[in-house]
Amino acid sequence: MSKYIAKLPDQNNIIHFSPHEHKTWQLLFDRQKEVIKDRACDEFIHGLAKLNYSAERIPQCPEVSAVLQSTTGWSAVPVAAMIPLSEFFSLLANRQFPVASFIRLREELDYLKEPDIFHELFGHCPLLTHPAYADFVQWYGEMALRTSREVQSLLGRLFWFTIEFGLIKTPKGLRIYGGGILSSFVETTYALESDAPERLPFDIQQILQSPYRYDEIQTRYYVLENLGQLFQLKTDQIFQWVEAAILHTESGRDFVIC
């Protein structure tokens, strides 16, 4: 159960946040925009510039949607703190990115167990302006809707190690594209500079056999050669990989999509 209460949009799809909540956004935005310098991939930086967020207030979904629609046909849709998996996948399949309509408490500034509006607008929406990334996320939603709950759980690992916690090679060195990292002040530096985690070449079969924990900092990251590699995953062959992964685990049901 979430301890956060979703804010309902008004008739114009506007969410009314308090001055305290806007200040929380500003604290998060100012420090994260600084820490991602020379750590986020160029595609993310370009997307962030297109969205042109203000540091002084929480962006509204209609204004974010206007930018996304003009670039890749996506939109940002406010949702409650927790939504069913079927709704999550349906939104993605229709190029609608779910955005939790609350912002974290100050005592959870550095870590919270469920995604808030900062995680989703800052961490994910900038790359939804990039065609290959945007197409992959839609395809992921469409594919997940076609599968069983067990398969969805395994596919959650693919989402986790790419969209949430993926790294990428660039001419400038290793960079971050995963929204779970790019919305986390601590993990942005840890993911690239700590000696503790593994950084492994992207391997879909290995990813589907890799469990993860959502309640602690990551111990393993997978590295893409480029964002186009996500686009290349759009093939029915992935179901062969999923079937192979099922043979290597007793059940996928103990892992969740976050």
Side-chain angles (χ1 to χ4, degrees):
M1 294 295 293
S2 172
K3 68 179 180 180
Y4 289 98
I5 299 175
K7 290 179 175 287
L8 297 177
D10 65 17
Q11 65 273 19
N12 298 313
N13 212 23
I14 299 299
I15 299 172
H16 298 278
F17 294 98
S18 69
H20 180 82
E21 289 169 321
H22 285 301
K23 184 62 178 179
T24 299
W25 168 275
Q26 184 174 21
L27 291 172
L28 291 165
F29 183 86
D30 283 343
R31 70 173 189 172
Q32 202 62 24
K33 192 172 182 182
E34 188 64 29
V35 78
I36 65 171
K37 290 179 179 177
D38 298 322
R39 294 187 177 98
C41 64
D42 286 346
E43 293 87 348
F44 179 90
I45 298 297
H46 296 157
L48 191 61
K50 289 177 183 176
L51 289 166
N52 194 28
Y53 293 146
S54 168
E56 297 178 355
R57 65 175 181 85
I58 301 172
Q60 295 290 339
C61 284
E63 61 189 298
V64 176
S65 295
V67 177
L68 296 180
Q69 282 285 339
S70 68
T71 54
T72 59
W74 275 76
S75 59
V77 179
V79 298
M82 304 292 282
I83 60 174
L85 278 178
S86 58
E87 182 180 349
F88 174 72
F89 295 138
S90 293
L91 286 168
L92 297 186
N94 288 286
R95 296 179 90 85
Q96 296 176 308
F97 197 80
V99 176
S101 56
F102 70 91
I103 194 162
R104 69 194 70 182
L105 301 171
R106 294 286 177 87
E107 56 265 33
E108 293 188 334
L109 206 64
D110 288 321
Y111 180 78
L112 72 167
K113 293 184 178 180
E114 54 191 293
D116 71 341
I117 196 167
F118 181 78
H119 166 80
E120 286 161 345
L121 291 186
F122 188 96
H124 288 299
C125 284
L127 272 174
L128 284 172
T129 64
H130 188 276
Y133 180 97
D135 287 350
F136 172 77
V137 177
Q138 179 189 23
W139 167 79
Y140 178 86
E142 291 174 340
M143 178 180 60
L145 285 174
R146 296 159 50 193
T147 65
S148 67
R149 184 64 182 88
E150 182 181 40
V151 172
Q152 288 173 358
S153 295
L154 287 174
L155 291 176
R157 301 175 181 181
L158 175 60
F159 195 90
W160 187 261
F161 288 113
T162 55
I163 301 305
E164 291 292 354
F165 289 94
L167 302 180
I168 188 169
K169 291 181 181 178
T170 79
K172 300 175 184 177
L174 204 59
R175 293 291 185 267
I176 303 164
Y177 75 94
I181 307 174
L182 289 169
S183 58
S184 167
F185 182 74
V186 173
E187 196 148 359
T188 296
T189 53
Y190 169 88
L192 291 184
E193 296 160 27
S194 172
D195 292 331
E198 295 180 282
R199 299 176 186 87
L200 305 172
F202 186 85
D203 183 322
I204 181 62
Q205 296 182 68
Q206 187 174 358
I207 286 172
L208 292 174
Q209 296 171 25
S210 297
Y212 62 84
R213 294 284 299 271
Y214 70 89
D215 56 347
E216 59 185 38
I217 203 161
Q218 302 303 298
T219 59
R220 173 182 296 182
Y221 302 99
Y222 288 94
V223 182
L224 285 179
E225 294 292 328
N226 53 67
L227 286 179
Q229 200 170 353
L230 289 178
F231 188 82
Q232 294 166 10
L233 289 173
K234 294 171 58 177
T235 167
D236 285 339
Q237 187 182 2
I238 195 167
F239 290 108
Q240 298 176 18
W241 295 326
V242 169
E243 289 171 1
I246 289 174
L247 294 175
H248 286 82
T249 185
E250 292 183 1
S251 172
R253 289 173 296 177
D254 52 338
F255 304 107
V256 298
I257 297 173
C258 297

